[in-house]
Coordinates of all heavy atoms in Angstrom, one line a residue:
V791 N -68.0 -126.3 89.1 CA -66.9 -126.7 88.1 C -65.7 -125.7 88.2 O -65.9 -124.5 88.1 CB -67.4 -126.7 86.7 CG1 -66.4 -126.9 85.7 CG2 -68.6 -127.6 86.6
L792 N -64.5 -126.2 88.4 CA -63.3 -125.5 88.4 C -62.7 -125.6 86.9 O -62.5 -126.7 86.5 CB -62.2 -125.8 89.3 CG -62.7 -125.9 90.8 CD1 -61.5 -126.3 91.7 CD2 -63.2 -124.7 91.3
V793 N -62.6 -124.5 86.2 CA -62.2 -124.6 84.8 C -61.0 -123.5 84.6 O -61.0 -122.6 85.2 CB -63.3 -124.3 83.8 CG1 -63.9 -122.9 84.0 CG2 -63.0 -124.6 82.4
G794 N -60.1 -123.9 83.6 CA -59.0 -123.1 83.3 C -58.0 -123.8 82.4 O -58.1 -125.0 82.2
P795 N -57.1 -123.0 81.8 CA -56.1 -123.8 80.9 C -55.1 -124.6 81.7 O -55.1 -124.6 83.0 CB -55.4 -122.5 80.2 CG -55.6 -121.4 81.2 CD -56.9 -121.6 81.8
S796 N -54.3 -125.3 81.1 CA -53.2 -126.0 81.7 C -52.4 -125.2 82.6 O -52.0 -124.1 82.2 CB -52.4 -126.8 80.8 OG -53.2 -127.8 80.1
G797 N -52.1 -125.5 83.8 CA -51.3 -124.7 84.7 C -52.0 -123.6 85.4 O -51.4 -122.8 86.1
S798 N -53.3 -123.6 85.4 CA -54.1 -122.6 86.0 C -54.3 -122.8 87.5 O -54.7 -121.9 88.2 CB -55.5 -122.5 85.3 OG -56.2 -123.7 85.5
G799 N -54.1 -124.1 88.0 CA -54.2 -124.4 89.4 C -55.4 -125.0 89.8 O -55.7 -125.3 91.0
K800 N -56.3 -125.5 88.8 CA -57.6 -126.1 89.2 C -57.4 -127.4 89.8 O -58.1 -127.7 90.8 CB -58.4 -126.2 87.9 CG -57.8 -126.8 86.7 CD -58.7 -126.7 85.5 CE -58.1 -127.5 84.2 NZ -56.7 -127.1 84.0
S801 N -56.5 -128.3 89.2 CA -56.3 -129.6 89.8 C -55.6 -129.5 91.2 O -55.9 -130.3 92.1 CB -55.5 -130.5 88.8 OG -56.2 -130.9 87.7
T802 N -54.7 -128.6 91.3 CA -54.0 -128.3 92.6 C -55.1 -128.0 93.7 O -55.0 -128.5 94.8 CB -53.0 -127.3 92.4 OG1 -51.9 -127.7 91.5 CG2 -52.2 -127.1 93.8
A803 N -56.0 -127.1 93.3 CA -57.0 -126.6 94.3 C -57.9 -127.9 94.7 O -58.2 -128.0 95.9 CB -57.9 -125.6 93.6
L804 N -58.2 -128.8 93.8 CA -58.9 -129.9 94.1 C -58.2 -130.9 95.0 O -58.7 -131.4 96.0 CB -59.4 -130.6 92.8 CG -60.4 -131.9 92.9 CD1 -61.8 -131.3 93.2 CD2 -60.4 -132.7 91.7
R805 N -57.0 -131.1 94.6 CA -56.1 -132.0 95.5 C -55.8 -131.4 96.9 O -55.7 -132.2 97.8 CB -54.7 -132.3 94.7 CG -55.0 -133.1 93.4 CD -53.7 -133.1 92.6 NE -52.7 -133.9 93.3 CZ -52.5 -135.1 93.3 NH1 -53.4 -136.0 92.7 NH2 -51.5 -135.7 94.0
M806 N -55.7 -130.2 97.0 CA -55.7 -129.5 98.3 C -56.9 -129.8 99.2 O -56.8 -130.1 100.4 CB -55.5 -128.0 98.2 CG -54.2 -127.5 97.6 SD -54.2 -125.8 97.0 CE -54.4 -124.9 98.6
L807 N -58.1 -129.8 98.6 CA -59.3 -130.2 99.2 C -59.3 -131.6 99.6 O -59.6 -131.9 100.8 CB -60.5 -129.9 98.4 CG -61.8 -130.3 98.9 CD1 -62.2 -129.7 100.2 CD2 -63.0 -130.1 97.8
A808 N -58.8 -132.4 98.8 CA -58.8 -134.0 99.1 C -57.6 -134.3 100.0 O -57.6 -135.5 100.5 CB -58.6 -134.7 97.7
G809 N -56.7 -133.4 100.3 CA -55.5 -133.8 101.2 C -54.4 -134.3 100.5 O -53.5 -134.8 101.1
L810 N -54.4 -134.2 99.1 CA -53.2 -134.9 98.4 C -52.2 -133.8 98.1 O -51.2 -134.2 97.6 CB -53.9 -135.4 97.1 CG -54.9 -136.5 97.1 CD1 -55.5 -136.9 95.9 CD2 -54.5 -137.7 98.0
E811 N -52.5 -132.6 98.5 CA -51.5 -131.5 98.3 C -51.5 -130.7 99.6 O -52.6 -130.5 100.2 CB -51.8 -130.6 97.1 CG -51.6 -131.2 95.7 CD -50.1 -131.4 95.4 OE1 -49.3 -131.0 96.2 OE2 -49.9 -132.0 94.3
A812 N -50.3 -130.3 100.0 CA -50.3 -129.5 101.3 C -50.9 -128.1 101.0 O -50.9 -127.6 99.9 CB -48.8 -129.4 101.8
V813 N -51.4 -127.4 102.2 CA -51.9 -126.1 102.0 C -50.8 -125.2 102.8 O -50.6 -125.4 104.0 CB -53.2 -126.0 102.8 CG1 -53.7 -124.5 102.7 CG2 -54.3 -126.9 102.2
D814 N -50.2 -124.3 102.0 CA -49.1 -123.5 102.5 C -49.5 -122.1 103.1 O -48.8 -121.5 103.9 CB -48.1 -123.2 101.5 CG -47.5 -124.5 100.9 OD1 -47.0 -125.3 101.7 OD2 -47.5 -124.6 99.7
G815 N -50.8 -121.9 103.0 CA -51.5 -120.7 103.6 C -52.9 -120.6 103.5 O -53.5 -121.3 102.7
G816 N -53.6 -120.0 104.4 CA -55.0 -120.0 104.4 C -55.6 -121.3 105.0 O -54.9 -122.0 105.7
A817 N -56.8 -121.5 104.7 CA -57.5 -122.7 105.4 C -58.6 -123.3 104.4 O -59.0 -122.6 103.5 CB -58.2 -122.3 106.7
I818 N -58.9 -124.6 104.7 CA -60.1 -125.2 103.9 C -61.0 -125.8 105.0 O -60.6 -126.4 105.9 CB -59.5 -126.3 103.0 CG1 -58.6 -125.7 101.9 CG2 -60.7 -127.1 102.3 CD1 -58.0 -126.7 101.0
H819 N -62.3 -125.5 104.7 CA -63.4 -126.1 105.6 C -64.3 -126.9 104.9 O -64.7 -126.6 103.7 CB -64.1 -125.0 106.3 CG -63.3 -124.2 107.3 ND1 -63.5 -124.1 108.7 CD2 -62.2 -123.3 107.2 CE1 -62.7 -123.5 109.3 NE2 -61.9 -122.8 108.4

């Protein structure tokens, strides 16, 4: 579970994994 207040980046992190947001640095496996 990714949890945090609004604007914490949790949904962005999920969308990065799904390919719905670009990854500007680092990597996902």
Side-chain angles (χ1 to χ4, degrees):
V791 179
L792 304 184
V793 66
S796 297
S798 62
K800 56 191 185 298
S801 289
T802 300
L804 188 76
R805 291 171 65 83
M806 290 163 69
L807 172 61
L810 303 178
E811 293 286 354
V813 179
D814 298 309
I818 297 176
H819 290 249

